[in-house]
Each structure stands twice: as C-alpha cells, then as structure tokens.
C-alpha cells in the first residue's frame, strides 16, 4: 500500500468514528425529545418524573430548556406545570401535612432543598377563578412539625373551591379529575382526601360519592389543626378535557361508562327510604330537564312540548334539579329512563347518571353550538348514549324579539363571538336567551327519539 492509500484509509476510519459518535448523540437527543413530548401529553406519574430529569449542557446556549422543567432524580418533590389547565405535584416519600399553614413537608429528604407552590384546582388559565383557591406549599427544606396522626395511605390534596356548586363543574373540575388521579397516580390503593374549601353542604351532598373514592375520613385543610403523616402525597387534579376520561392516559383502561359505575355505587342504593321511580308500563319514559325563565334557556312553551311528546307515546316526567335535589332520587330517575331531553346547560351533566343506550336529545340554542358539542355531545357519545342534536332556528330564539332577526347577534352568532367568549357573549346567549320550540319541527325529532327509546326499552327494560 502506498503512502497516498494509507492516508486515505486513515481518513475513512476517522470519518466512520465521527459518524458513529454523532449517531449516538443524535439518537440520545431524539429519544430525550420524544420522552419530553410524550410527558407533556400524558398523565404524569412518578415514573415520568424520574425519566425526564433535566440534562445539563456545558455550553449553555444549545440547552433544550433555559431552566430545568423537573428537579433532579434525587429530589422527593416532582412537579409538572406544562398543562394549560392544571399544575400537578407528587411527593415520593413520607410527608407531613400541616393544615394550619397548608404546607406539605418531606420528612426524609436527601436531595436539594426545594419549595413548590401550587393551587390544586384545574382552572389555572382563569385568574379570577383561581384567586379564590387556597395555595398549598410543598417543601423539602427545614424539618417539618412532628406527626400527630399517622396514615397508611397516600394523600390526594385538592380544592373544592372555584366553580364548585355548579353541577357541571362539580364533576368536570372535581370528581372526574379525582377519578383520573385514583386510576393513574394512586391506582393501587384508596387515598386519604385532603381538601380545602370542603364546605359542609358539599361534603353532605356528595358524601356517598366521596366514600366510594376513599373510606377514610376527609381532612379539611381549613379547620383541621393536627399534623398528618402519609407515605406519599399528590397535590392537584388532572383533567383530560371537558367531562372526558382518556383511557390511554390511565394505568387502568377505564372510560366514562366506568365512571358511571362509580356513580351507581354511590347513588344507586335501594334502601326503602329512597323514593324509587321504577318504570312500570309499556311506554318509554322521557325525562324533560326543565329550566326556569329567570335562569335563561328555558322552554317558553314547555307545556305544549310535553303534550306533543305524550301524543307521540312517551311517559313524560319533568325534572328540575336544584342544589337540594337528593342525588339518589336523581340517579334513580335518570338511570330508569329511556330518553332524556333538555336545553344546553349544567343540568345535562346528568348524562353521567344515564344507562348506556339511553336516548339523549340536547336542545341547542343560538350561539352555543361549540359548547353543546364539547360539553355534552362528545361526552354523551362516549357514554354510549344515543345522541340527538336539536339545533333551534333563529325563529325559535327569544333573541329575535330583543335584537331583531337581522341583527348579527341572531343572524350570525359565530361572527358576533369571534374568538372571544366574553362576559357579554355569555350574558347574551346563556342568560338572555330562552327557547320557543317549533312544535311541528320538534315533533319530528321526538318521533325519532321515541323509536330509539322504544327499542331500548324493549331490549333493556
């Protein structure tokens, strides 16, 4: 081999080594980026935090993140703040909770000192809502107070503040996110619920559902003074979307029908002191969810609409829920019905009480098409309900009388709203608007609902 050939061979070897090194580094970076992206779109768990510890870059300028997204692997406190709607933290180790200061202390911290603050309610994009949610502090710094009450189960710390009291938000911002936590982060044990803003009416109204989630007494951060110790703790609630459970993001493949089973365990009791509204004839039962005129989106000719439904063959029961409605009675009524009809509004959250296969007709006022779809149509279909969409015409809206049929409010609600769902828009389409149904048109939809409901009744009872 001559000198020129030797030099060429050496250069080839050097190039191969360089390419191999570059390939290894590139593969590692691609793998890290994939895991990072995956972590931002899935429910976080302890393993996720361990895998995504931040990597250093000596040069600094080429660093993927200017500040670490996660604490180092040795840290006991791990938080994710990448989601638009919620923050979530997990303490992977013994924890002391001091209700008097709303502080969680890591009792065995061998890593760096960390302090995290979090408002444990899944509405962080709404500053006005979050202003009333108590902040919780997590620290691995100075030793916390001595333990007074020892628990053998992990804690879930969250707030029942915000929109709690509105039936939709009670489930969308509360119980469904709580269900997600139980079936992902703490899927193998019943937790202890540590709650701020756990008002007496809330505990009483939902006591049976809370007991399904946890047999342990609730710890109220607002009035408890004893320190409580736990083997670990999660802080915050995780949302998958509006009335949504994504089974791909859970450790158990559960969906909304599984959540319906949880509700049945809580409210489907057969004790004699609950009024049972069993179906006892050969007519499909239709529940008409009613609204009062002062609340907006009321059916102005409701009596005539009921008569039209009865003429078609339905047994009609009018249901107007309030904050004092016994949820056992509500569950009994909805789960023993064959069709449910109502104007878009929070009460349609009762779809979670319905058996899969029930006919579910949503009356959609002007300006609520998108809300109706994401809040109730999509969850209704996920529940296995037979969904029917009744979109009113502008002639059926009371807004015609207020603004005139050629006003943009009536003629083109989407253009009126633009990209901004403001208080003004909400007032117009949710508060000012009522519905006067075109009974001829509505009867065609009722007939379709009857045919589906009759088949469902004949099959399921």
């Amino acid at each position: 081999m001559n000198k020129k050939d030797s030099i060429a061979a050496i250069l080839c070897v050097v190039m191969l080594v360089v390419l191999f090194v570059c390939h290894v580094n590139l593969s590692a970076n691609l793998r890290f980026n994939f895991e990072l992206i995956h972590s931002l779109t899935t429910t976080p768990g302890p393993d996720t935090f361990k895998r995504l510890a931040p990597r250093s870059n000596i040069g600094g300028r080429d660093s993927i993140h200017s500040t670490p997204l996660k604490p180092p692997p040795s840290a006991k406190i791990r938080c994710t703040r990448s989601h638009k709607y919620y923050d979530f933290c997990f303490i992977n180790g013994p924890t002391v909770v001091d209700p008097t200061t709303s502080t969680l202390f890591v009792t065995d911290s061998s890593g760096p000192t960390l302090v995290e603050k979090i408002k444990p309610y899944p509405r962080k994009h709404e500053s006005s809502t979050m202003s009333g949610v108590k902040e919780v502090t997590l620290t691995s710094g100075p030793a916390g107070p001595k333990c007074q009450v020892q628990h053998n189960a992990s804690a879930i710390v969250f707030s029942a503040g915000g929109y709690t009291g509105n039936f939709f938000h009670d489930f969308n911002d509360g119980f469904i996110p709580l269900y997600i936590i139980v079936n992902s982060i703490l899927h193998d044990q019943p937790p202890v619920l540590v709650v701020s803003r756990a008002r007496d009416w809330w505990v009483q109204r939902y006591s049976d559902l809370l007991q399904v989630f946890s047999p342990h007494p609730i710890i109220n951060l607002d009035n408890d003074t004893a320190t409580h110790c736990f083997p670990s703790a999660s802080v915050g609630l995780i949302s998958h979307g509006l009335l949504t459970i994504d089974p791909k993001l859970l450790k158990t493949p559960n969906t909304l029908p599984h959540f319906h089973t949880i509700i049945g365990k809580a409210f489907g009791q057969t004790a004699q002191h609950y009024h049972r509204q069993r179906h006892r004839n050969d007519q499909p039962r239709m529940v008409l969810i009613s609204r009062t005129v002062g609340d907006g989106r009321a059916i102005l000719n409701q009596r005539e609409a009921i008569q039209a439904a009865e003429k078609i063959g339905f047994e009609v029961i009018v249901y107007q829920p309030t904050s004092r409605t016994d949820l056992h009675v509500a569950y009994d009524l909805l789960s023993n019905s064959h069709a449910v009809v109502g104007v878009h509004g929070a009460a349609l959250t009762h779809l979670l009480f319905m058996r899969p296969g029930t006919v579910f007709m949503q009356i959609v006022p002007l300006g609520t098409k998108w809300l109706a779809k994401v809040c109730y149509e999509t969850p209704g279909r996920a529940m296995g309900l037979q969904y029917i969409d009744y979109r009113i015409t502008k002639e059926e809206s009371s807004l015609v009388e207020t603004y005139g049929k050629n006003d943009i409010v009536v003629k083109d609600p989407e253009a009126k709203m633009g990209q901004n769902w403001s208080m003004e828009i909400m007032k117009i389409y949710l508060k000012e608007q009522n519905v006067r149904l075109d009974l001829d048109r509505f009867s065609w939809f009722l007939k379709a609902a009857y045919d589906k409901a009759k088949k469902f009744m004949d099959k399921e009872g």
Side-chain angles (χ1 to χ4, degrees), residues 348-360:
L348 295 193
T349 309
H350 284 89
L351 68 89
L352 298 171
F353 289 25
M354 303 174 202
R355 287 179 292 171
T358 303
V359 178
F360 175 39

Side-chain angles (χ1 to χ4, degrees), residues 43-46 49 80 86-90 118 120 122 154-158 173-193 213 232-240 244-246 249-252 254 259:
T43 300
F49 294 122
T80 178
Y86 65 85
D87 292 331
F88 180 82
C89 293
F90 185 79
I118 178 174
S154 293
I156 296 181
V157 182
F158 66 98
D173 302 335
F175 295 117
I176 289 179
L178 181 60
Y179 181 81
I180 290 171
I181 295 288
V182 170
N183 285 274
S184 55
I185 308 301
L186 303 173
H187 67 288
D188 58 348
Q189 58 178 319
V192 177
L193 304 182
F213 282 111
S232 62
S234 62
V235 185
L237 293 174
I238 293 175
S239 171
H240 290 169
T244 298
I245 298 171
D246 187 343
L249 305 182
L250 303 179
K251 290 186 179 294
T252 53
N254 291 351
F259 185 72

Side-chain angles (χ1 to χ4, degrees), residues 54-67:
R55 296 173 48 172
S56 61
N57 183 298
I58 297 175
R61 291 188 301 174
D62 297 327
S63 176
I64 295 176
H65 307 288
S66 59
T67 57

Side-chain angles (χ1 to χ4, degrees), residues 385-401:
L385 306 179
Q386 300 187 74
Y387 181 79
I388 297 176
D389 205 47
Y390 184 86
R391 298 184 184 178
I392 71 168
T393 63
K394 62 183 180 181
E395 289 78 16
E396 293 174 279
S397 173
S398 66
L399 295 178
V400 172
E401 301 169 7

Side-chain angles (χ1 to χ4, degrees), residues 4 26 51 61-62 80 89 107 170 172 181 190 212 242 264 273 304 316 324 392 410 430 452:
K4 185 178 296 184
L26 180 61
R51 287 189 294 106
R61 291 188 301 174
D62 297 327
T80 178
C89 293
T107 60
D170 287 349
N172 183 70
I181 295 288
V212 173
L242 296 174
H273 61 278
E304 292 81 0
V316 181
R324 296 180 296 277
I392 71 168
V410 174
L430 298 186
K452 293 176 182 292

Side-chain angles (χ1 to χ4, degrees), residues 10-26:
I10 292 171
L11 288 174
C12 287
V13 171
V14 170
M15 288 297 295
L16 287 172
V17 171
V18 170
L19 287 172
F20 176 76
V21 172
C22 290
H23 171 74
V24 170
N25 287 337
L26 180 61

